[in-house]
Amino acid sequence: LGLLMKAALNESEPRVTGRGRITTSGTGRGQGEALQKSLSGTVVFDITDGQFVRSKVLEFLAEQTHIDDFKGLGFKTLHGDLQIKEGWINIKQIRADGPSVAVEASGRVGLDGRLDLQVQPKIGPALADYARIPCVDQFMKTADGFTVLPLAVAVEGTAENPSYGITVTPGSTVGKEAEVLVGTIANLFTACQGGKAAQKATDEAL
């Protein structure tokens, strides 16, 4: 869990505040690389009434979307379900739910520090109305009324040297023009206008 949090927060002492419970089980043998390859198990954690502190990936998300609520995200619940197998921590589910925004992570983290993660943002009803995002009604909604933004932060590289990028999620309902807006989240929402508006946003970003 410490390696996973370091990957997300990118600091020597990553911090997530809150009250939590962690359940682990697993087996392994040997030391060093042999242990990493043989280690197999599960990790389930639940943290309530907490906050991410200095998370680089959330700061990147806030900067790119111009939604400050993602920076220092305070959450009501943070749930994680992880599987460790063949040298990788596979994310079955990680989700942090706050009052105005939420994030959900998928992918995997190598026990050697390699990263292959995606973080998808969601915004609550009040924020969606306040932000006045164009064509927000076209985006997918969750059962609890949150709007799933049609993009994700991709985290690659290593825990010591991560890199962040933007991808448009498969099945996005904003139209095929959204594909050209990868790497320019701030202008993504003009894609619902299609055609020249989407192309203009891309040209300006480049």
Side-chain angles (χ1 to χ4, degrees):
L1 181 59
L3 177 61
L4 189 68
M5 291 296 100
K6 182 176 181 180
L9 299 175
N10 189 24
E11 59 175 340
S12 57
E13 296 182 358
R15 288 181 288 169
V16 177
T17 66
R19 297 172 294 176
R21 179 180 61 185
I22 300 177
T23 304
T24 64
S25 65
T27 60
R29 60 183 181 276
Q31 297 180 348
E33 186 176 347
L35 177 60
Q36 290 183 4
K37 290 182 178 179
S38 66
L39 191 62
S40 176
T42 60
V43 178
V44 177
F45 61 89
D46 288 281
I47 302 174
T48 59
D49 300 321
Q51 183 176 15
F52 290 96
V53 181
R54 292 197 298 272
S55 166
K56 296 298 183 182
V57 66
L58 293 180
E59 289 176 357
F60 176 79
L61 181 59
E63 177 184 344
Q64 296 297 311
T65 59
H66 293 208
I67 299 176
D68 288 338
D69 296 58
F70 287 117
K71 185 185 299 183
L73 190 159
F75 55 82
K76 294 180 291 184
T77 59
L78 170 61
H79 173 74
D81 187 352
L82 315 174
Q83 181 184 45
I84 304 172
K85 186 177 181 181
E86 298 178 349
W88 289 92
I89 302 172
N90 298 292
I91 300 175
K92 298 175 67 176
Q93 183 183 45
I94 291 182
R95 174 167 175 166
D97 290 307
S100 60
V101 296
V103 293
E104 191 160 354
S106 60
R108 59 183 187 167
V109 175
L111 294 176
D112 59 359
R114 287 177 291 169
L115 305 177
D116 181 16
L117 298 169
Q118 299 79 43
V119 179
Q120 183 161 42
K122 306 174 185 181
I123 59 175
L127 183 58
D129 292 340
Y130 174 78
R132 297 180 180 178
I133 297 172
C135 68
V136 70
D137 59 323
Q138 297 182 29
F139 302 156
M140 185 175 69
K141 302 290 193 300
T142 64
D144 51 2
F146 273 63
T147 298
V148 181
L149 300 185
L151 49 92
V153 176
V155 185
E156 299 177 337
T158 67
E160 296 296 334
N161 187 28
S163 64
Y164 308 110
I166 300 304
T167 60
V168 173
T169 55
S172 167
T173 58
V174 297
K176 64 182 181 180
E177 289 85 359
E179 296 291 342
V180 301
L181 293 175
V182 173
T184 172
I185 292 185
N187 296 317
L188 175 87
F189 303 113
T190 63
C192 64
Q193 301 171 30
K196 293 182 179 179
Q199 188 61 52
K200 182 175 184 293
T202 304
D203 292 343
E204 289 176 350
L206 296 176

